[in-house]
Amino acid sequence: MSEAKAVRRTRSVTTEAMAERRESILQYASQVISRSGVEGCSFGELSEVSGFSVGMIQHYFRHRDRLISATVEYRIAGALAEWERIYDRGNNALERIHDLLTFSVEGEIPFAEAWGFWLEIYAAAHKNLQIRESVATVLSSWRTLFVRALQEASEENLLNPAADVGELATLFTAVIDGLAIQSLNNIYKSTPEKMIETLHRFAARELGIDPEEFARYKRSKLVAAR
């Protein structure tokens, strides 16, 4: 191997390792925010949890505000990618709506960690313009997926909604957020499992579909396919 090729390979490995280390720090930071809030995500606390030195974390993010912003963007990118995978998996518009509602509870990240993070970020957004803009971006993208699925369902004559598509999409995202707060804090004896059932029934009624049929539809197909 020539010296030039060896240098290029070394640089490539180093760049890859740096990217992996940065992502690992962001994963730990999102966990810290979920448990302790934005204010609790200090370099010292993150170092304690992750095993990375404070100097190493500062090397990647310089100051705390940059770390918080990067963590939010990291979780947004992950959420958007997962949402698109869920959306594309459905065979028709009703399956997509059903899956999106279910995913809001049963995503790749455990419910308590996922919603603990977003609720802390929502709270911080009230006083932080940059975080508020990031929250607006992710909620807009989430709502857009519902708009797309609802428009498809309407075009396919699969529903009889009482409200227009945009209003329904806004209602869905609002109800998801509200039920997540209740489930995360066990208000009204709420649980993630109960949240899924409530979402399915609420959506079915708003869409003019039999709630029992809609609640069983995708789940029964998944079970039958196993």
Side-chain angles (χ1 to χ4, degrees):
M1 182 186 297
S2 69
E3 183 176 351
K5 287 183 178 179
V7 170
R8 283 197 298 272
R9 175 170 294 182
T10 300
R11 287 178 177 171
S12 176
V13 171
T14 300
T15 300
E16 182 179 348
M18 290 177 65
E20 290 177 355
R21 187 177 298 148
R22 184 180 187 276
E23 181 174 340
S24 182
I25 292 172
L26 293 174
Q27 287 177 335
Y28 281 112
S30 68
Q31 293 169 10
V32 171
I33 290 173
S34 178
R35 292 193 301 268
S36 305
V38 171
E39 294 303 320
C41 188
S42 64
F43 281 177
E45 177 65 18
L46 182 54
S47 175
E48 182 72 21
V49 170
S50 68
F52 292 109
S53 69
V54 170
M56 176 67 72
I57 297 169
Q58 288 177 326
H59 171 73
Y60 282 93
F61 300 101
R62 302 290 179 155
H63 51 76
R64 185 176 165 281
D65 287 347
R66 184 175 294 182
L67 168 68
I68 299 301
S69 295
T71 303
V72 174
E73 293 303 320
Y74 167 74
R75 286 295 295 270
I76 287 175
L80 291 176
E82 189 175 2
W83 294 347
E84 288 291 348
R85 288 196 297 272
I86 294 294
Y87 186 92
D88 292 339
R89 191 176 66 189
N91 293 315
N92 60 48
L94 285 185
E95 285 191 7
R96 292 187 177 96
I97 294 169
H98 189 287
D99 285 353
L100 288 171
L101 292 169
T102 304
F103 158 72
S104 69
V105 183
E106 296 181 345
E108 294 178 354
I109 300 174
F111 179 83
E113 180 184 335
W115 277 103
F117 176 84
W118 286 116
L119 293 183
E120 292 294 343
I121 293 301
Y122 288 175
H126 180 62
K127 295 182 179 180
N128 185 307
L129 177 59
Q130 187 171 0
I131 293 178
R132 187 158 65 247
E133 290 175 345
S134 295
V135 167
T137 296
V138 73
L139 288 178
S140 177
S141 298
W142 182 222
R143 179 182 177 278
T144 296
L145 286 178
F146 279 112
V147 169
R148 284 167 53 190
L150 288 164
Q151 286 176 335
E152 290 174 10
S154 180
E155 292 168 0
E156 295 167 12
N157 296 315
L158 296 175
L159 52 86
N160 298 293
D164 65 36
V165 165
E167 184 177 342
L168 281 174
T170 299
L171 279 174
F172 284 175
T173 55
V175 171
I176 287 169
D177 285 348
L179 290 176
I181 293 173
Q182 294 177 14
S183 297
L184 193 64
N185 294 293
N186 195 29
I187 298 172
Y188 310 130
K189 298 182 179 179
S190 299
T191 64
E193 293 75 21
K194 187 176 179 180
M195 177 176 170
I196 291 177
E197 294 178 4
T198 303
L199 283 174
H200 288 167
R201 290 182 179 278
F202 171 79
R205 285 192 294 267
E206 291 296 320
L207 299 175
I209 302 169
D210 177 70
E212 294 296 334
E213 180 181 352
F214 183 68
R216 291 193 304 262
Y217 183 65
K218 184 63 173 180
R219 184 179 303 170
S220 64
K221 290 191 67 176
L222 287 173
V223 171
R226 288 176 182 171

